[in-house]
Amino acid sequence: MKAAVITRPRNLEVQDLAPPSPGPGQVLVRVGATGVCGTDLHLFEGHFHANLPLVPGHEIAGVIEQLGPGVTHLQEGQLVALDPVIACNRCWACRRGQRQHCLHFQALGVTRAGGFAQYVVAPAENAYPVKNLSAEEAAFAEPLGCVAWGLLRLQPQPGSSALLFGAGPIGLLLMQALLISGVSTVTVVDPVAERLALARQLGAAHTVQSGPQLERTLRELAPYGFDIVAEATGHPQVVEAMPSYAAVGGKLLIFGVAPEEARVQISPYDLFQRDLSLIGSFSLNGTLPIALNWLETGRVQVKPLISHRLPLEALGQALAYKEQPGLGRALKVLIVPEA
């Protein structure tokens, strides 16, 4: 089979590998589509648990090609979305219900071979049957599962207002999820006009392009601040500014992936005096079924987010789009192995 392999930091090769075989309790999946994520860029650079050489790709959907011994609840030919988190279910973190913090953490496309290949092997318990979706739509189940976990952490209140920094693919998923989870209005900030136009199309009440008038415009929209301020950018300077836009009793959601070495300055007195809550959200935690429900019922729209469908040989180009966001006007890039 063809597979894209990170052989060493910043070196990617498309190789011919022997197709894997499913062991007991596993399934072999013929990959239909795999989404390109910022984490893939971190792995390409040799960061974020990278165990090289590695076939990356963790936003995976495809058709079950073969069942391993003992798998009886799935069928060959069935379209499934894969939860990449492989937890031991026995350690301290797992027994607390924090599978994504498993002390023996493994993940498809991160520590094990992932979806930037024609075939991938996964634990059968990580494969979720998909109804009335294409493989391309189902590939959004993993990032949307991360959004679902973020909202479970955030607990938005009915009728609240939200300010969201970032209208990239994950930001636009988060925006839609906020709107179906009780938030009345979402204001979206981004430097790219085309992304803001898409945010309005998908339900944003207000959109503001980054620039010198940003603070003034946001003050006019919410003189007393927003109930929720969320970021899906990973930029430390955005995180540092977030408390200033929050209402008394507001919640701050750190959702983007900032550089590991980044540091910000936030006033602890400000958090204390204004009853602010600072909330982090990492990965997904058994939330793929929530994501699939949103997708299968049409509550979250993903087709408008797809900007590119590329073959395996173009994964390097897709990573360049991630590294240089303005390049190619890319939004969500999918790798389609059979393209």
Side-chain angles (χ1 to χ4, degrees):
M1 69 171 185
K2 288 183 180 179
V5 183
I6 303 172
T7 58
R8 61 181 186 277
R10 300 198 66 83
N11 190 76
L12 184 69
E13 299 176 4
V14 175
Q15 299 181 353
D16 287 318
L17 304 178
S21 298
Q26 296 181 328
V27 292
L28 176 67
V29 174
R30 185 173 74 252
V31 177
T34 300
V36 180
C37 170
T39 299
D40 298 314
L41 181 59
H42 290 301
L43 291 166
F44 179 60
E45 293 170 342
H47 304 152
F48 203 76
H49 308 290
N51 184 19
L52 306 182
L54 173 72
V55 178
H58 57 276
E59 302 178 359
I60 312 164
V63 173
I64 293 176
E65 185 85 1
Q66 184 181 350
L67 302 176
V71 179
T72 58
H73 67 288
L74 297 169
Q75 298 176 359
E76 292 178 1
Q78 198 168 31
L79 178 63
V80 293
L82 298 182
D83 183 340
V85 175
I86 301 171
C88 73
N89 297 318
R90 296 184 302 274
C91 73
W92 172 84
C94 286
R95 289 167 69 88
R96 288 163 54 95
Q98 297 170 318
R99 297 177 68 256
Q100 82 278 36
H101 295 289
C102 175
L103 300 183
H104 309 286
F105 176 84
Q106 296 280 308
L108 300 174
V110 180
T111 64
R112 297 189 185 185
F116 293 140
Q118 289 178 299
Y119 295 93
V120 63
V121 161
E125 65 185 15
N126 289 53
Y128 290 82
V130 173
K131 304 172 188 173
N132 306 316
L133 296 173
S134 67
E136 293 183 357
E137 293 169 295
F140 282 86
E142 192 279 339
L144 194 53
C146 296
V147 167
W149 177 242
L151 291 193
L152 287 173
R153 297 274 295 137
L154 183 64
Q155 293 292 304
Q157 298 301 303
S160 54
S161 62
L163 170 63
L164 171 64
F165 290 93
I170 198 72
L172 292 172
L173 292 177
L174 179 56
M175 183 202 77
Q176 293 181 74
L178 284 165
L179 288 170
I180 61 176
S181 299
V183 172
S184 292
T185 61
V186 180
T187 297
V188 179
V189 175
D190 196 90
V192 182
E194 292 86 352
R195 292 187 174 191
L196 293 176
L198 183 53
R200 289 192 296 273
Q201 177 186 325
L202 293 172
H206 307 284
T207 57
V208 183
Q209 193 162 9
S210 307
Q213 299 300 313
L214 175 62
E215 183 175 355
R216 178 179 176 179
T217 303
L218 293 178
R219 299 288 177 217
E220 290 173 351
L221 287 172
Y224 300 105
F226 297 85
D227 300 312
I228 293 167
V229 181
E231 69 83 30
T233 68
H235 293 309
Q237 61 269 36
V238 171
V239 174
E240 202 162 64
M242 289 169 64
S244 66
Y245 295 114
V248 169
K251 299 178 180 180
L252 312 174
L253 177 65
I254 311 301
F255 197 77
V257 182
E260 290 183 41
E261 68 279 5
R263 299 293 182 270
V264 298
Q265 288 189 332
I266 293 177
S267 165
Y269 181 82
D270 191 31
L271 297 181
F272 150 76
Q273 195 272 333
R274 297 200 294 129
D275 283 327
L276 300 182
S277 299
L278 182 61
I279 300 166
S281 177
F282 173 69
S283 189
L284 70 167
N285 184 14
T287 44
L288 206 79
I290 298 174
L292 284 173
N293 184 273
W294 283 341
L295 291 170
E296 290 167 350
T297 58
R299 302 299 303 279
V300 173
Q301 297 294 315
V302 294
K303 286 183 179 179
L305 307 186
I306 302 171
S307 63
H308 294 72
R309 299 168 176 85
L310 300 176
L312 280 172
E313 291 80 2
L315 178 57
Q317 177 185 342
L319 293 173
Y321 289 151
K322 276 291 175 187
E323 198 165 25
Q324 305 172 58
L327 189 66
R329 294 185 176 275
L331 195 57
K332 190 60 177 181
V333 180
L334 297 179
I335 298 298
V336 182
E338 303 302 329

